[in-house]
Amino acid sequence: MQYLFFTKRRGAALLGVVLVSLIVLGIFAAVAFNIAMNTMRVERWQREHFEEQQMHYLARSAVLAVGAELSNDVLPSDTAAIDKTGSLNVSDSDRGMAASLDFAVSADKDSNIVLIQVTAYNPSSALSNDTKAVVKGMYSKSLGKVTAWNEGSGK
């Protein structure tokens, strides 16, 4: 009697197995797609974060370089006001990095402190157009070095 039941319903059993297999395959595909999308989102965040860190390091190094140049050019006895701006494009093909630096150097008349501000950004970045690093350093004429920092992002 059992043998007759399976012989009569052989197509229905096969159809049931195929449908269950398709459902399981669909669930696996959805899970794999979800994992892939989350991985891509994390990788994008890591690239943006890495680019932002590069801009911060570049801006901080530029503030130190301007401070070193000021130690050669500005004496503690100089009392003239300073108000200069400029920009510089930097590229490193070995690391695949390009950036633009905007400089602003200012000091009041008779001030011992020179404010150095550098904004670093990558104008050709496909990741984020608003990734900027703004670093301000306060250069002390009497000490001949950058004594205070203020770092932020331009977002």
Side-chain angles (χ1 to χ4, degrees), residues 43-86:
E43 286 176 353
R44 180 179 171 90
W45 177 86
Q46 284 177 335
R47 285 192 313 262
E48 286 177 353
H49 184 69
F50 179 71
E51 184 176 293
E52 188 175 330
Q53 278 185 327
Q54 278 184 326
M55 295 302 120
H56 273 287
Y57 292 144
L58 188 61
R60 192 172 174 104
S61 297
V63 168
L64 287 173
V66 170
E69 195 62 33
L70 283 175
S71 67
N72 295 334
D73 295 341
V74 177
L75 299 174
S77 60
D78 291 344
T79 59
I82 301 172
D83 188 19
K84 298 192 180 210
T85 60

Side-chain angles (χ1 to χ4, degrees), residues 34-121:
N34 192 15
I35 290 170
M37 292 304 291
N38 286 337
T39 301
M40 286 175 43
R41 188 170 9 123
V42 168
E43 286 176 353
R44 180 179 171 90
W45 177 86
Q46 284 177 335
R47 285 192 313 262
E48 286 177 353
H49 184 69
F50 179 71
E51 184 176 293
E52 188 175 330
Q53 278 185 327
Q54 278 184 326
M55 295 302 120
H56 273 287
Y57 292 144
L58 188 61
R60 192 172 174 104
S61 297
V63 168
L64 287 173
V66 170
E69 195 62 33
L70 283 175
S71 67
N72 295 334
D73 295 341
V74 177
L75 299 174
S77 60
D78 291 344
T79 59
I82 301 172
D83 188 19
K84 298 192 180 210
T85 60
S87 62
L88 177 70
N89 292 326
V90 178
S91 65
D92 185 356
S93 59
D94 292 338
R95 294 184 182 177
M97 184 189 81
S100 291
L101 301 174
D102 293 334
F103 296 91
V105 180
S106 61
D108 293 333
K109 186 176 180 183
D110 296 328
S111 176
N112 186 38
I113 300 295
V114 178
L115 179 64
I116 306 165
Q117 177 177 324
V118 177
T119 303
Y121 59 96

Side-chain angles (χ1 to χ4, degrees), residues 1-9:
M1 187 78 163
Q2 275 183 335
Y3 179 72
L4 289 176
F5 177 74
F6 285 117
T7 58
K8 289 182 182 177
R9 309 265 185 224

Side-chain angles (χ1 to χ4, degrees), residues 121-137:
Y121 59 96
N122 186 350
S124 62
S125 173
L127 296 175
S128 178
N129 291 332
D130 61 351
T131 301
K132 290 184 179 180
V134 180
V135 177
K136 297 177 185 175

